[in-house]
Amino acid sequence: MLMPSPFRSRTAHRYLHTLDALLLSFLLVDITFTQASAIHTVPITNLPSTSSPPTPDVRPRKLHGRFLHITDIHPDEYYKPGSAVSQFCHRNKPKSDPDRAGKYGVGFSECDSPLALANLTLEYLRDEWADNIDFVIWTGDSARHDNDNQLPRTPAAIYQMNRLIANQMRETFPNIPIVPSIGNNDIWPHNVMSPGPNGITNEYINIWRSFIPFSSYQVFQHGGYFAKEVIPDHVVVISLNTMYWYDANSGFPSSFLMRKDYSLFLLTFRGGWGLRLAYAK
């Protein structure tokens, strides 16, 4: 959702004009066709566990008037090509099931994405678009759904998959600002998040260390949200945490704090426009 700040600079106006009001010419990549997308084809037990690198220096860049939106990747480390769709694409039986999992997923099913699909998608974006966009917004759900009782999700598996995808995002867009937000399938239990600092915010500040400005670390630890200038002095993106807007978490007044914090940020921001992003179920 586009949210203009009270301050408009001539540069910001020209930038947004080239975006055709951010409605016509911005690049939207939503890989929810198979309820997901994917990344490296490695077993989950081999996923990296190291902390994210520090935030890199942002150098002046040529502006293109486009940004990329990636959402709901839902990579499934247990996806098995040729397996039964009725078993979430995890098992071969029942053999009587005529619907079988394809190499790159099954559209309009309860199967999540094979890792091969995310690899292919991000490779295409790296080769065709990484040099033609100004920033990336990444709105969560970077882990599989908890829909298979025989393979229940764990916090460790969720964080490992998010870490894997974050590393792949850095490799795909090495010199482009990336702004992530937390999705309801990026936490466990599903949709439930206690006031921060907590294990979730501490884990994601580690995974997203290169995406979150150092000045926002403390705010993120308390509420899972932050602001980042993606076009220095002209465009800021504010990543909201909508988990605190779920009824199960309504006792925590983070929605008020988020509005207060990003409003104060916009008041002190000397540029032209603010762009809010958030996960929405």
Side-chain angles (χ1 to χ4, degrees):
M1 177 179 179
L2 184 64
M3 182 66 180
S5 79
F7 308 101
R8 296 190 183 185
S9 69
R10 184 174 299 175
T11 302
H13 179 77
R14 287 200 303 266
Y15 175 76
L16 290 175
H17 179 72
T18 63
L19 288 175
D20 289 333
L22 288 176
L23 291 177
L24 298 178
S25 64
F26 90 109
L27 177 63
L28 174 64
V29 176
D30 183 351
I31 35 185
T32 56
F33 176 72
T34 62
Q35 292 290 329
S37 112
I39 303 307
H40 288 309
T41 53
V42 297
I44 193 164
T45 54
N46 293 337
L47 297 182
S49 58
T50 56
S51 299
S52 304
T55 304
D57 293 332
V58 177
R59 298 180 180 180
R61 309 182 312 277
K62 174 185 176 182
L63 297 181
H64 303 281
R66 303 184 186 92
F67 69 88
L68 182 70
H69 178 201
I70 299 177
T71 189
D72 290 80
I73 297 176
H74 289 296
D76 185 356
E77 64 273 23
Y78 294 105
Y79 185 98
K80 185 177 180 180
S83 60
V85 173
S86 61
Q87 296 297 309
F88 310 102
C89 298
H90 291 161
R91 292 172 289 277
N92 290 330
K93 296 181 179 180
K95 293 184 178 180
S96 58
D97 187 349
D99 296 324
R100 295 284 150 176
K103 179 180 179 180
Y104 295 111
V106 182
F108 307 104
S109 72
E110 293 190 5
C111 296
D112 281 323
S113 293
L115 298 181
L117 175 62
N119 284 333
L120 188 66
T121 301
L122 292 179
E123 287 171 5
Y124 172 79
L125 293 175
R126 179 198 62 203
D127 296 340
E128 301 295 332
W129 285 104
D131 295 330
N132 297 296
I133 56 176
D134 299 325
F135 57 92
V136 177
I137 57 176
W138 170 26
T139 48
D141 270 12
S142 300
R144 66 186 177 95
H145 290 95
D146 198 9
N147 54 8
D148 189 344
N149 292 333
Q150 296 186 42
L151 292 171
R153 298 195 317 162
T154 65
I158 294 169
Y159 298 145
Q160 284 178 318
M161 187 55 72
N162 269 274
R163 184 175 290 108
L164 176 66
I165 295 181
N167 289 339
Q168 189 79 352
M169 294 283 281
R170 293 184 193 95
E171 294 173 5
T172 303
F173 310 107
N175 302 308
I176 300 172
I178 300 171
V179 188
S181 64
I182 298 173
N184 68 330
N185 284 288
D186 296 324
I187 60 178
W188 191 92
H190 184 251
N191 295 339
V192 178
M193 190 170 180
S194 61
N198 55 45
I200 295 172
T201 58
N202 289 338
E203 191 69 37
Y204 279 106
I205 202 170
N206 220 3
I207 295 172
W208 295 342
R209 187 167 297 274
S210 62
F211 306 142
I212 302 173
F214 179 78
S215 59
S216 294
Y217 282 5
Q218 187 174 20
V219 170
F220 186 88
Q221 283 184 315
H222 281 84
Y225 57 97
F226 66 98
K228 181 173 183 175
E229 288 186 71
V230 294
I231 306 296
D233 298 323
H234 298 297
V235 179
V236 61
V237 175
I238 301 165
S239 175
L240 302 178
N241 177 13
T242 56
M243 295 306 101
Y244 289 129
W245 297 348
Y246 279 70
D247 291 340
N249 310 314
S250 59
F252 183 59
S254 185
S255 58
F256 167 76
L257 294 176
M258 273 188 272
R259 294 188 185 99
K260 176 176 175 287
D261 282 353
Y262 83 67
S263 295
L264 288 175
F265 185 89
L266 286 179
L267 287 174
T268 58
F269 175 55
R270 298 292 182 181
W273 287 81
L275 179 68
R276 291 183 297 174
L277 72 92
Y279 172 83
K281 185 175 180 180

